[in-house]
């Protein structure tokens, strides 16, 4: 009997097997998101609420665009119903969730405005007086001479007209909540004044040294260059200044010549004969 019992217990010990419970690595792996309750118009804020140790994600906004940001904001180009999907992934797991959103463009108001400043044939435009209850995200300029900025315009721009005349300039703005407005102004561009300038200089003598001053020169533009020729075979070249001095080698009579030019294209010269004792 003892032998039988020993064999029975030995058989029981031999048949015992250790069992280790296996957990599902994807049990808590789930994509999830919310749409911000403050979202309005065509801009939507998405908040990522996914769980699990994911290493990558992608948003599919339902309009053919996508993003890898964690909680992106997205602006749709038009109202409508869109199915938005969020996909998260790791080496072992993948999860996707989709939600439908309905967007309407209502509620957006905007008012396009601009002012301008003229400088000859160049006009500087500023659209910052425009107002909106959303964010202005686009500006389109039409300058009235067959040219314009297209949809890539900016709120501040400048345009150089080929000729004087009257032009109708139009601005179109649009906002992130679906508003669009336009505004036009008629502007008159005058021909720039004919460049005029008058070279003059005075001088003072001190022995063989003469001090020259070209400041009596006048112009309807800015004088940007002075060239002196001292009458003894020397001169300043084009690097001259309005005030200069020159030491003559000997007494005598010399013809001094001044040339000036301006930023609007005028050039004039003036000569004086001076006697050095």
């Amino acid at each position: 009997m003892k032998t039988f019992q020993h064999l029975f217990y030995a058989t029981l010990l031999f048949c015992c097997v250790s069992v280790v419970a296996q957990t599902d690595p994807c049990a808590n792996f789930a994509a999830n998101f919310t749409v911000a309750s403050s979202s309005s118009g065509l801009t939507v804020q998405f908040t990522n609420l996914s769980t699990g140790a994911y290493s990558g994600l992608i948003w599919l906004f339902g309009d053919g665009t996508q993003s890898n940001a964690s909680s992106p904001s997205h602006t749709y180009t038009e109202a409508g119903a869109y199915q938005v999907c969020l996909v998260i992934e790791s080496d072992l797991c993948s999860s996707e969730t989709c939600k439908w959103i309905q967007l309407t463009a209502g509620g957006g108001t905007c008012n396009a405005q601009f002012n301008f400043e003229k400088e000859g044939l160049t006009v500087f435009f500023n659209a910052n007086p425009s107002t909106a209850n959303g964010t202005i995200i686009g500006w389109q300029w039409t300058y009235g001479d067959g040219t314009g900025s297209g949809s890539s315009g900016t709120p501040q721009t400048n345009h150089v007209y080929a000729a004087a005349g009257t032009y109708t300039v139009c601005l179109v703005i649009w906002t992130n909540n679906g508003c669009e407005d336009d505004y036009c102004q008629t502007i008159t561009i005058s021909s720039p004044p004919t460049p005029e300038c008058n070279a003059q200089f005075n001088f003072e003598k001190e022995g063989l040294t003469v001090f020259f001053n070209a400041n009596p020169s006048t112009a309807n533009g800015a004088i940007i260059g002075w060239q002196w020729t001292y009458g003894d075979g020397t001169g300043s070249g084009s690097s001259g200044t309005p005030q200069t001095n020159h030491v003559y080698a000997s007494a005598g009579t010399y013809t001094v010549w001044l040339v000036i030019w301006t930023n609007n294209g005028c050039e004039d010269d003036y000569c004086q004969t001076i006697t050095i004792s």
Side-chain angles (χ1 to χ4, degrees):
M1 176 63 70
K2 289 182 178 180
T3 300
F4 175 78
Q5 289 177 346
H6 289 163
L7 290 173
F8 176 75
Y9 290 134
T11 301
L12 287 177
L13 291 172
F14 180 77
C15 292
C16 291
V17 178
S18 297
V19 178
V20 178
Q22 297 290 330
T23 60
D24 183 0
C26 301
N28 295 319
F29 197 87
N32 188 23
F33 68 90
T34 61
V35 179
S37 59
S38 59
S39 297
S40 62
L42 299 180
T43 298
V44 181
Q45 176 65 53
F46 299 99
T47 301
N48 182 7
L49 301 178
S50 302
T51 58
Y54 55 89
S55 57
L57 62 83
I58 185 170
W59 293 86
L60 305 173
F61 296 121
D63 61 352
T65 64
Q66 60 190 41
S67 173
N68 298 111
S70 178
S71 295
S73 174
H74 182 63
T75 300
Y76 291 84
T77 59
E78 59 184 3
Y82 299 91
Q83 186 182 43
V84 181
C85 295
L86 171 62
V87 182
I88 61 172
E89 293 181 335
S90 68
D91 292 338
L92 298 176
C93 309
S94 177
S95 177
E96 176 181 6
T97 185
C98 297
K99 297 181 181 181
W100 283 93
I101 60 173
Q102 180 70 45
L103 302 180
T104 59
T109 60
C110 55
N111 180 33
Q113 290 286 335
F114 68 86
N115 52 37
F116 61 90
E117 293 182 4
K118 299 181 289 184
E119 188 175 301
L121 297 177
T122 301
V123 184
F124 301 87
F125 298 101
N126 181 11
N128 286 332
S130 302
T131 58
N133 68 353
T135 301
I136 301 174
I137 59 174
W139 302 263
Q140 180 173 304
W141 297 92
T142 304
Y143 300 119
D145 60 353
T147 65
S149 69
S151 59
S152 59
T154 56
Q156 293 178 310
T157 185
N158 65 79
H159 182 65
V160 180
Y161 289 88
T166 299
Y167 302 93
T168 299
V169 181
C170 292
L171 167 68
V172 180
I173 64 169
W174 55 94
T175 69
N176 64 340
N177 56 6
C179 181
E180 183 175 310
D181 190 41
D182 66 312
Y183 174 70
C184 297
Q185 283 195 66
T186 298
I187 63 174
T188 298
I189 309 298
S190 302
S191 296
T194 302
E196 295 179 1
C197 55
N198 180 34
Q200 290 285 337
F201 69 86
N202 51 37
F203 63 90
E204 294 182 3
K205 298 181 290 183
E206 188 175 301
L208 295 177
T209 301
V210 182
F211 300 89
F212 297 99
N213 181 9
N215 286 333
S217 301
T218 59
N220 65 357
I223 301 174
I224 59 174
W226 301 263
Q227 180 173 300
W228 297 92
T229 303
Y230 300 118
D232 60 354
T234 65
S236 69
S238 59
S239 59
T241 57
Q243 293 177 310
T244 184
N245 64 80
H246 182 65
V247 180
Y248 288 88
S250 61
T253 299
Y254 303 92
T255 299
V256 180
W257 180 30
L258 167 67
V259 180
I260 65 169
W261 55 94
T262 69
N263 64 341
N264 58 2
C266 182
E267 184 175 310
D268 191 42
D269 66 321
Y270 174 69
C271 298
Q272 281 196 69
T273 298
I274 64 174
T275 298
I276 308 299
S277 301

